Amino acid sequence: MKTPITDLLGIEKPIVLPGMSWISVPELVAAVSNAGGLGILATGPLTQEQTRQAIAKIRTLTDKPFGVGITLLMPGAKENAKVALAEQVPVINFSLGKGDWIVEGVKRYGGKTIATVVTEKHALAAQKSGADALLVTGHEAAAHGGEVTSLCLVPNIVELVDIPVIAAGGFSDGKGLLAALALGADAVAMGSRLATSTQSPVHQNVKQAVVDKKVADTIYSKNFDGLYARVMKTPMAEKATRRPMNPIVAVFKSFKASKMVDMPLWKLLLGLLAQFDKIRMLTLFGAATEKLEAATIRGDLEQGVQFIGQSQGMIRDIEPVEILIDRIMAEAKAEHARVSKLLAE
């Protein structure tokens, strides 16, 4: 299938693995790219050296295009972006911040940039900055989706911009892919679906929970990590989102996040004084890190919390990436034939 996104990124199928912390690791990134899509490495939990090593690992596993995700609000993001630029990765996907300097750096070596956005305002700003494409994240998505559902947000942004759009939030099968294309998007990102594949490092306990859960079994709240985020509904998640974390506790726990990405303690403390609002979100992120890692890596949903999209209710199996992507493409073609027949009658 050819779309403006497949042409832009040099991929065969319009399916993207977004950069999900602890999930979008080199093995899963390469599996998606090898299957014809675009895998994007998550750098949120990585140090500069770990990011460099992860990029090198991907290159040993695939010769296909891949991306690196940079969440600009998070600690260590600027440093990891500089690593990605130095390594001249084919695609950089940035979010939660101004990525003009990343766009300029990528253009110098002929790569491509994708900006993740959740509002029309941010979409227009990203296009103005020179981003090559947008990843538009609707309300249904795991983690930090927008306030507006994909059904409304995607076509609205498509009408406003002149660059290709990747739709994210609520897409997990061939019907979803076809629906996204009908909304005007040029590809889909399927985080929850690909996170529940056999190559994903997500613990088997969590994968099985995704299969067992329904579409309504999620919670959307800003009390978990400081930004509105969607997580799997469990007793621990309900407790963690009941009220905002105590700021003092959050600051203490944020030291773990700063250590994780080699941020000096003095820099964190200085930021707490100079940029309280921004660093407040960092502290909440640091406090949330323990619970996210406990669920994703250790499979402990009694103590951990798992980011997941509403599409979990449409995920009914755990299969290899290549089987999933081939099936999605076949479903989309079959659904297209069905709808075309209806329109012809």
Side-chain angles (χ1 to χ4, degrees), residues 61-82:
L61 297 173
T62 185
D63 58 359
K64 302 292 181 65
F66 68 94
V68 166
I70 304 292
T71 305
L72 290 166
L73 182 64
M74 295 303 141
K78 185 175 181 180
E79 290 75 14
N80 280 333
K82 289 180 179 178

Side-chain angles (χ1 to χ4, degrees), residues 246-262:
N246 181 295
I248 296 175
V249 173
V251 169
F252 175 75
K253 293 197 172 190
S254 72
F255 294 156
K256 291 187 176 182
S258 63
K259 183 178 180 181
M260 179 178 67
V261 293
D262 285 349

Side-chain angles (χ1 to χ4, degrees), residues 3 17 62-63 66 80 96 99 134 149 178 187 205 258 297 345:
T3 74
L17 167 76
T62 185
D63 58 359
F66 68 94
N80 280 333
L96 294 177
L134 302 176
T149 65
L178 186 64
N205 291 348
S258 63
I297 304 304
E345 292 178 353

Side-chain angles (χ1 to χ4, degrees), residues 43-53 74-80 83 254-268 282 285:
T43 61
L46 305 183
T47 64
Q48 295 174 65
E49 184 54 33
Q50 288 171 334
T51 295
R52 189 174 291 106
Q53 292 174 1
M74 295 303 141
K78 185 175 181 180
E79 290 75 14
N80 280 333
V83 171
S254 72
F255 294 156
K256 291 187 176 182
S258 63
K259 183 178 180 181
M260 179 178 67
V261 293
D262 285 349
M263 175 185 281
L265 181 59
W266 67 264
K267 191 172 183 179
L268 177 66
L282 166 59
F285 165 78

